[in-house]
Every structure is written in structure tokens, then in C-alpha cells.
Amino acid sequence: LLDKNLKCPGFDSRSIGVFDSGFGGLTIMKSLIEKLPSESIIYFGDSANAPYGDRTSSEIIKYATDAADFLAQKNIKILIIACNTACACASKIIKQKLSIPVFEIITPSFQTVLKESKNYNIGVIATRATIRSQIYKKLIEQHNPKARVLSLSCPLFVPLLEEGHFDNKLALNLAEHYLKPLKKKKIDTLLLACTHYPLMKGIIQKVMGDDVKVIDPSLACALNLLSFLEKNGISSLNAKPKYEFYTSGDTEKFKNIAEVFLEKKIDQVLKK
Ligand code: DGL
């Protein structure tokens, strides 16, 4: 067994830093645990300031850069911005600010939906700020001029999920209400472009019906990161990876929801 502090040439046992406005980035973390089982992870959920999606761009930049700085002080080897809204508004600024690599999730997400679509009528649901940025529409239509993107924001999904309503009548009613306009269009794929939304993927799939493939890009993001770490010689060989959790919100609430979602016992959640 390798000592977790052993320095191997071409390997790096330091943790990966992951942040989101709240619980949403846990959908990315869950895929990281599955696909990169030797990596230690430090997660920060900025629940006290969630939802980011209804904030102005300058507020999002402030909260996202604070979150990035907080994790960057923890001796991480790479930062994952596991929040589409923060990526859309602040990834360039964060990349400029930090001296470690910064991994954003928008690129692997839009590439995944383009691979999966057959008729290139693509639905994208996300927060208000992500839709306002038009980042997905621009990237998808630039990469495939045949593609048509129908974007829709679902602003009440995030507060609902932050309150722990993943799979109940309330979530179903809200999904039926928001997704109605998309059901009339002939989309064949629907990208969940907010990391909170995979928490209610079952409900979204039910509302959209079997003809629409609902895309949770978190596994693709994890696989992309895996090849980035390998290419750059910074994968880890930890036999016993460590998972650490921080929140700016209520630590007990974070622990309870994160345990249900990650299907894992969490020792402790620390307050930022
Ligand atoms: N989970 C985040 C995203 O991917 C942000 C949700 C929010 O705080 O509005 O966009």
C-alpha cells in the first residue's frame, strides 16, 4: 500500500477541490468518487449564498471567487467549478487568479449533449444566470451549425432541492409547470445544465417522456477530469482517499442531505 504522502514522480496525492453554490456539485462529486476512486476531495457548498442563479453577474463573480480562494488555500492540486452558473460568469476570472489548474464543467457538458443528440434539436435547462449568459446556446450552435438550442430557466428547482425535495409531488408539479413549453418542441435530448438538476432526474425524465433523452453530464465531467489528471501526471494513488466537506450554511442540514445523496457516511461537515 502506498503512503498517502508518498511523492511519486508523475503522481500527486493532494486533494481535488470542488465547489458549488450548495448541494448541486455533489452530483459531480458522486461521479468523481465512482470514476476516480483514489482521489481525495475537498467539497465546499456555498449554501448560505445559494441560489447563485438569481443573482447579478457581479454578485456571482464575488461569491465564486471567494469560494475558489477558500479552497485554493487548502493545498489542492486542481479546482473543479462544479457549478454551471459560476462557470458561466466567473471561470475566466478564477483561472486568471489561481496558480493551480481550474476545471470548468461547461465544456464536457455541451460536448456530451452534442454526441447524444440525433436530430440536433437540443433542450437546455439551467439557472436564470446561465441561460442569460447564452453560453450553452453559443457553444452548441458554434460547434454544430445544424443544432438548434431551446433554453429554459427553472429558477425554483434549486431552492426546492436545497430544501431536500428530490422526489415528491412538489417536485413533480414544479417540473410539469416548467417543462411544459419544451414538451411542445421536437427536442430529442435535454441537457441538465445545472448541477442541482440531476438530483431530480427521475422526475424530469418522467415529465419529458421516453422520446427525450435527459442528459446528466456528471459522469462525462469525471471522465474528462480523469484524462486531464493522467495527461498531466497528477493522478493520485491514495489507497484510502479522504473526503472533506465545508459549507457556509447549516452543517447538520448539509451532512444529512449529503449523506442521503452520496449514499455515504460523512464524519463531519465544517463551517466555512
Ligand atoms: N448548481 C449550480 C449550477 O450548476 C447553481 C445553482 C444555483 O445556486 O442557482 O448552476
Side-chain angles (χ1 to χ4, degrees):
L1 289 188
L2 285 160
D3 184 297
K4 76 175 168 37
N5 293 319
L6 186 73
K7 293 258 181 290
C8 264
F11 293 96
D12 189 336
S13 61
R14 288 176 300 164
S15 299
I16 294 173
V18 177
F19 86 86
D20 176 53
S21 62
F23 300 112
L26 293 172
T27 59
I28 301 285
M29 179 161 177
K30 198 173 186 187
S31 297
L32 296 181
I33 294 173
E34 187 184 325
K35 297 290 170 196
L36 293 80
S38 309
E39 299 293 340
S40 293
I41 299 172
I42 307 179
Y43 185 94
F44 170 55
D46 195 9
S47 294
N49 297 310
Y52 282 6
D54 293 325
R55 295 187 176 277
T56 61
S57 297
S58 51
E59 281 175 318
I60 296 165
I61 290 169
K62 186 196 173 311
Y63 290 126
T65 49
D66 280 357
D69 287 342
F70 172 69
L71 286 173
Q73 283 160 18
K74 302 207 169 292
N75 190 30
I76 53 172
K77 63 181 169 187
I78 184 167
L79 176 75
I80 319 297
I81 310 178
C83 174
N84 288 271
T85 310
C87 290
C89 299
S91 63
K92 277 197 193 120
I93 296 172
I94 293 172
K95 279 181 184 170
Q96 279 163 9
K97 254 188 121 200
L98 299 191
S99 55
I100 50 168
V102 175
F103 186 90
E104 54 81 19
I105 56 168
I106 288 179
T107 305
S109 301
F110 94 78
Q111 287 170 341
T112 303
V113 76
L114 265 179
K115 254 186 238 148
E116 295 286 341
S117 179
K118 301 271 183 289
N119 71 7
Y120 299 119
N121 281 334
I122 295 170
V124 173
I125 53 173
T127 65
R128 272 201 185 104
T130 302
I131 299 298
R132 187 175 64 219
S133 77
Q134 295 208 319
I135 189 150
Y136 276 101
K137 188 172 168 58
K138 282 185 199 149
L139 284 168
I140 292 171
E141 294 181 354
Q142 262 164 25
H143 280 77
N144 188 336
K146 282 194 220 133
R148 285 293 159 264
V149 174
L150 291 146
S151 313
L152 195 77
S153 63
C154 308
L156 289 175
F157 279 175
V158 172
L160 186 85
L161 293 164
E162 286 284 312
E163 283 304 314
H165 301 283
F166 301 138
D167 190 14
N168 58 20
K169 192 96 181 89
L170 205 60
L172 180 66
N173 287 346
L174 199 59
E176 277 169 344
H177 167 76
Y178 276 137
L179 301 174
K180 208 181 255 167
L182 280 182
K183 286 199 68 175
K184 297 194 190 113
K185 312 282 178 182
K186 294 241 172 305
I187 58 165
D188 72 344
T189 37
L190 176 62
L191 177 67
L192 305 181
C194 169
T195 52
H196 280 73
Y197 298 176
L199 297 169
M200 56 191 289
K201 185 180 176 199
I203 279 184
I204 293 172
Q205 185 67 71
K206 192 167 163 186
V207 172
M208 293 309 295
D210 292 341
D211 293 342
V212 177
K213 194 163 188 186
V214 175
I215 313 279
D216 166 5
S218 54
L219 270 185
C221 292
L223 292 173
N224 239 270
L225 179 67
L226 176 69
S227 71
F228 180 89
L229 297 180
E230 280 173 355
K231 265 188 214 138
N232 289 281
I234 54 169
S235 301
S236 156
L237 294 175
N238 291 335
K240 279 197 177 151
K242 254 175 68 184
Y243 304 122
E244 295 168 63
F245 297 88
Y246 291 87
T247 178
S248 56
D250 184 323
T251 51
E252 250 335 274
K253 180 177 164 195
F254 188 97
K255 188 171 181 292
N256 294 338
I257 294 185
E259 279 183 343
V260 172
F261 187 64
L262 291 176
E263 295 169 285
K264 235 183 202 329
K265 267 261 162 263
I266 294 175
D267 292 339
Q268 59 172 354
V269 177
L270 298 172
K271 180 93 178 168
K272 181 201 168 210

